[in-house]
Amino acid sequence: MNKIVSAVALCAVGAEKIVSNELRKLDLKVDESLYGRVRFKADIKGLYQTLIGLRAADRILLEIGFFKAVDFDELFEGTGAAAWELLVPKNMGLKVVKVRTNRSQLKAETSIQSVVHKAAAQRLCGKYKMNRLPEDGKAAEVRVYIEKDMVSLLVDLCGEPLFKRGYRSEGGVAPLRETTAASILLLSGWKRKFPLYDPFCGSGTIIIEAAMYAWDMAPGLGRSFAIENFLIADNKTEQTVREECRGRIDFSRLVRIAGSDEDTRSVSIASSNIARLYDIAEGKTPQRGIRLSDIKTHGINVKAQPMSKASSPFPASESSALNSKPSDPSGFIITNPPYGKRLGDQSIAEQTYSEMANLKERFPGWKLALITDHSGFESFFGRKADCCREISNGAIPSYFYEYALLL
């Protein structure tokens, strides 16, 4: 498939600009940015580049149909006119897994789901001379978005969501999604020339996403995708993209990244997750049970320590050595502190936020960026954020707070 097609990158609400920027860096044309999704154009190589290379996107969907429908007859006709047989093979079933409609005359989601499935199945059965689609085995997962009466029929090319990178053996309680961690890193403005510290590192998601970004390591190298089950699959192109991505990884870059957590088990998990990055980079199957002492570390350090004892692991002279502007921070604290839903006790979370105010004494001149579900974080921290924006972490509406300098 060398032709240009339309596709959609799903992402956290609040991360649309980040995903748009990532797509442009891949030289892909962005058509529009919507609520939690970005429409773009790509050829087959571009689709593989997005699947393997995007850091902040949760899914990549191929748009197989786009048309206007104000009633169910038009919905059925438009769906049946889409060339499903160019994507879905004969031995594959089809499921409509999600319907969303906004400011449109078609509103009944269950009925929309039924009509789309019936029309697509009728088209495929007619093309393949079958009475019905297979009900067992692999199935194309379809999503339907209707916005202002314009219907977008989308087929998932991922399988597992993109936040499942392959390096995580297990997470802590309510772990931060990898794609959300990447989003807040990019939103914060962090670059590898700055030290980075996470005092609530948990299983290491933020520091690992930072390391991959600093090394220019594509996040999807350690996994496969559902696109391989479709007729557009191109193994040669996929391998080319993977080789190009591996060729850009540079472990020799100076990286000053550290994390700590009071939970020793979480620190052990973080250490193992970090170690698996090297296997992924080399195309090996990630191993389990790797000890901290086994890590071929390149400036990444994790240890068991409560936030109350956190201090910069980087000398002040080293922290500012690479900074290009006097106004630059000495480093970045980027973190996901424990919160009410995660702890099961809102008062403990609020006490933690109050104790975080002491970070300014131990990290003077650093920037603080954090994500939490608590809309009142600022009042407990004791200072209004320089910037606050809403961003989702999975199904949890959250807030991203930024403090330009801790003084």
Side-chain angles (χ1 to χ4, degrees), residues 367-400:
K367 177 173 183 175
L368 171 63
L370 63 106
I371 181 174
T372 174
D373 75 328
H374 201 311
S375 60
F377 172 85
E378 294 160 304
S379 64
F380 295 97
F381 185 69
R383 178 179 161 188
K384 185 175 177 58
D386 295 298
C387 178
C388 175
R389 68 184 81 197
E390 294 184 18
I391 187 170
S392 59
N393 176 32
I396 303 175
S398 301
Y399 303 89
F400 179 56

Side-chain angles (χ1 to χ4, degrees), residues 65 76 79 81 94 96 117 208 232 242 244 301 317 343 356 369 402:
F76 186 90
T79 302
L94 185 144
V96 181
H117 185 274
I208 291 172
I232 62 169
R242 289 185 180 275
E244 290 174 353
N301 178 50
S317 58
L343 292 172
M356 287 178 66
E402 294 181 87

Side-chain angles (χ1 to χ4, degrees), residues 31-181:
D31 290 329
E32 61 180 334
S33 178
L34 301 164
Y35 189 74
R37 61 192 193 274
V38 180
R39 297 182 75 247
F40 65 97
K41 294 287 196 303
D43 59 6
I44 186 63
K45 183 175 184 180
L47 291 177
Y48 280 113
Q49 286 175 319
T50 60
L51 288 165
I52 297 169
L54 291 186
R55 300 182 188 280
D58 288 319
R59 288 188 182 276
I60 302 299
L61 313 172
L62 178 66
E63 188 170 68
I64 197 167
F66 186 67
F67 54 90
K68 184 176 182 178
V70 297
D71 57 37
F72 287 111
D73 287 339
E74 290 183 344
L75 179 64
F76 186 90
E77 291 173 5
T79 302
W84 297 92
E85 70 279 2
L86 298 182
L87 179 67
V88 181
K90 185 176 182 178
N91 62 345
M92 181 179 282
L94 185 144
K95 296 180 181 177
V96 181
V97 296
K98 183 160 290 189
V99 174
R100 288 186 178 175
T101 177
N102 182 44
R103 294 178 292 178
S104 301
Q105 295 185 57
L106 289 172
K107 301 182 187 301
E109 295 183 2
T110 302
S111 298
I112 293 169
Q113 182 181 34
S114 177
V115 169
V116 168
H117 185 274
K118 182 178 180 179
Q122 181 173 296
R123 167 100 182 198
L124 286 168
C125 287
K127 293 292 181 178
Y128 290 135
K129 311 299 182 186
M130 301 186 302
N131 292 324
R132 64 173 60 188
L133 294 181
E135 296 180 357
D136 298 322
K138 295 175 181 177
E141 295 194 347
V142 180
R143 294 173 182 242
V144 184
Y145 288 88
I146 308 179
E147 183 81 27
K148 295 181 181 179
D149 297 324
M150 295 302 300
V151 179
S152 180
L153 302 176
L154 302 158
V155 179
D156 176 41
L157 300 181
C158 300
E160 294 280 10
L162 295 182
F163 64 79
K164 295 193 175 183
R165 313 290 208 206
Y167 64 72
R168 187 197 291 275
S169 60
E170 54 185 312
V173 180
L176 184 68
R177 278 190 177 183
E178 291 84 340
T179 48
T180 305

Side-chain angles (χ1 to χ4, degrees), residues 251-270:
F251 286 133
S252 69
R253 290 176 175 174
L254 173 63
V255 175
R256 294 164 296 163
I257 298 172
S260 61
D261 199 282
E262 66 180 2
D263 180 47
T264 56
R265 182 172 178 273
S266 291
V267 171
S268 177
I269 294 171

Side-chain angles (χ1 to χ4, degrees), residues 188 194-195 319-320 323 325-333 356-370 381-387 401-407:
S188 75
F194 297 107
S319 296
S320 59
N323 296 357
K325 301 176 184 178
S327 59
D328 280 342
S330 299
F332 281 62
I333 297 174
M356 287 178 66
N358 295 325
L359 289 171
K360 64 179 180 292
E361 299 173 2
R362 284 167 277 141
F363 294 86
W366 283 52
K367 177 173 183 175
L368 171 63
L370 63 106
F381 185 69
R383 178 179 161 188
K384 185 175 177 58
D386 295 298
C387 178
Y401 297 95
E402 294 181 87
Y403 294 84
L405 290 176
L406 291 176
L407 299 171

